[in-house]
Amino acid sequence: MKSARLAVALAEPYANKLLREAVEAVGWTACAPHEECDIMWADFASINWEQVLEGRLCASAYYLKTGLVRKAELAGMASKAGGAELCLPQTVCGDIEDEADVDDFLKAWGALRQSCGGGTWVLKPSQGNRGEAVLLVRADDELRADAEMREAVEWALAAYPSYSRWLIQLYVRPLLLPWRLAPVGRTTERLTSGHKFHMRAWVLAVGALSVWVHRDPLLLLASTPWEEPVATLRSAQELSAHVTNHAQQERLPVYDEELQTRRLSESFTAEASSHICAQVVAIVRAVFARRVRPSVGFFALPQCFELFGVDFVVDPDYKVWLLEINSGPDLSLFGSRLRDLGLAVLVGALNIIGKSSVLNSFGNDTNTETPLSGETCSSANEVIGPVLLEGDAIEGYTCVMHRECTSPQAELHRFKRTVSFAGKFAHAIHQQVGVPVRGVQGAYEQHRKSTI
């Protein structure tokens, strides 16, 4: 494996220290962000994107990825033909700017509710994170359902005015776990009482594009025992049995890190764990297969990689459902008890990066012609770096999808054209309404103008 100098620039102290230890464990050199380096593992805003886009630096994030990490765009992908294999709960999305938008949003939800036969629904913003701005609405009462949801939407819009794109998603009745740490099996009688959990799987995307899933996800439990929602829930205390995000749970007085953060392998029997992991792998493969063609929604740059935190919930029949994909996942979730697992996740990721072609993506690339197909980066005569194949296993990770990029320079040129076109299109629209372009398209357009 090629040795490298890796600049560590994570704002969270726990994650920063853990990553430095992982760098040392693989025999690389950890350095400061201002020093010369081969790789920069940093928070998105701290990455030197000018060097990345010039092909001089490998970075720990993809520049374009809203098609994965925005809940509404993920739901839109699931709603298309063949999207059922993504296993996303039934969802409607709405861009809400005025009362007419609220009416349209609720009308679409009403049609979906009729087809689902009522149930409990989750209202949440597309760009929300850390479990904020989440409401639960019970919609079994035919006469009251529309009024209940309208009241919830109007309350949420007033309480969180910075969000304009919202989702209403069918609440998945969860498989429950006992408070004590004891393995549960598929043949075990379903618990009628216990605690809800969601599962955080570690997914590493490398270059353009191989995708790796770690075999031991984390389980994050609710502080309070689960009960069937019987009314609209808004406050943190009311939602404590349902919203299992670590950021929400750790604020509660009864929070217990030792019991509420667990490994999948210590919570289920080997047979049950294998059954759950097989579904995780299938869903992750299906998601990234739909994003392999470069676009504004997701563009896998050959000199980039990213560790994603992918969240799932498991229902009482042991069916796994996708909830969301998180960019820059919180590594402090491992805490003190599972710190060794966190270190192993990072060491495995670095070893995969070292054995991939991302470190020398532009070292021997002379082909600057743009590939005609969106499905492959062809067509230099020699593949850069060792060949990694789907099914390969490296230190706890399994490769679930692989696409070799043999012309990184051509891929970078196509990326720049894609972002430039999107930026110009957005600029034209925003200019008409007098609003400046924000986000990555706006940032790239500023960078492009500064280099002319």
Side-chain angles (χ1 to χ4, degrees), residues 92-93 102-114 168:
V92 294
C93 307
V102 173
D103 292 340
D104 292 341
F105 188 37
L106 294 175
K107 183 178 179 180
W109 170 71
L112 182 60
R113 177 177 59 82
Q114 292 288 346
I168 304 175

Side-chain angles (χ1 to χ4, degrees), residues 165-444:
R165 197 168 201 193
W166 290 80
L167 295 82
I168 304 175
Q169 189 170 79
L170 186 63
Y171 179 82
V172 177
R173 186 182 182 91
L175 177 68
L176 304 178
L177 286 177
W179 189 243
R180 70 186 186 283
L181 192 55
V184 174
R186 291 176 66 199
T187 57
T188 304
E189 182 179 352
R190 306 293 193 267
L191 294 177
T192 56
S193 63
H195 293 253
K196 180 186 175 181
F197 68 92
H198 84 267
M199 179 168 56
R200 166 66 58 86
W202 305 99
V203 175
L204 177 69
V206 181
L209 173 74
S210 62
V211 181
W212 302 73
V213 178
H214 196 271
R215 68 187 174 204
D216 207 358
L218 288 181
L219 305 185
L220 304 174
L221 273 68
S223 298
T224 54
W226 186 83
E227 293 181 348
E228 185 81 46
V230 295
T232 298
L233 307 179
R234 297 176 183 172
S235 71
Q237 188 58 50
E238 290 174 333
L239 292 165
S240 63
H242 305 280
V243 178
T244 50
N245 301 67
H246 175 254
Q248 298 297 319
Q249 292 292 324
E250 68 175 348
R251 300 174 184 173
L252 301 171
V254 292
Y255 177 72
D256 186 336
E257 178 191 292
E258 299 289 309
L259 289 172
Q260 289 182 241
T261 305
R262 307 178 183 182
R263 306 168 71 131
L264 176 71
S265 59
E266 66 185 1
S267 304
F268 290 93
T269 63
E271 184 261 350
S273 295
S274 177
H275 177 73
I276 290 170
C277 281
Q279 294 178 75
V280 168
V281 165
I283 293 169
V284 169
R285 183 186 293 116
V287 168
F288 279 90
R290 280 163 175 73
R291 287 299 181 192
V292 72
R293 184 183 292 274
S295 69
V296 175
F298 180 67
F299 200 117
L301 279 169
Q303 74 277 33
C304 294
F305 64 91
E306 185 154 355
L307 183 65
F308 292 98
V310 185
D311 290 346
F312 301 89
V313 66
V314 184
D315 71 19
D317 294 321
Y318 283 76
K319 178 178 172 61
V320 175
W321 297 86
L322 173 62
L323 294 179
E324 63 184 23
I325 300 177
N326 299 279
S327 176
D330 183 6
L331 296 174
S332 69
L333 291 178
F334 292 104
S336 56
R337 187 175 76 88
L338 299 178
R339 193 175 188 280
D340 287 347
L341 175 60
L343 183 61
V345 166
L346 292 179
V347 167
L350 292 177
N351 276 314
I352 292 169
I353 293 161
K355 292 177 181 179
S356 73
S357 59
V358 294
L359 284 177
N360 52 347
S361 291
F362 298 93
N364 302 309
D365 186 27
T366 58
N367 179 6
T368 58
E369 294 300 317
T370 302
L372 296 178
S373 169
E375 300 299 328
T376 180
C377 295
S378 59
S379 58
N381 294 325
E382 181 180 357
V383 174
I384 300 168
V387 177
L388 297 174
L389 302 174
E390 186 172 327
D392 283 354
I394 297 178
E395 299 204 26
Y397 285 88
T398 300
C399 183
V400 302
M401 192 183 83
H402 183 74
R403 168 182 178 261
E404 195 64 55
C405 181
T406 57
S407 184
Q409 196 64 253
E411 201 77 343
L412 182 56
H413 285 317
R414 180 162 60 170
F415 167 82
K416 290 179 178 179
R417 285 203 307 271
T418 299
V419 180
S420 180
F421 175 79
K424 290 176 182 177
F425 180 72
H427 180 75
I429 294 176
H430 283 247
Q431 198 171 40
Q432 291 180 8
V433 295
V435 178
V437 182
R438 297 184 175 88
V440 293
Q441 287 87 4
Y444 179 77

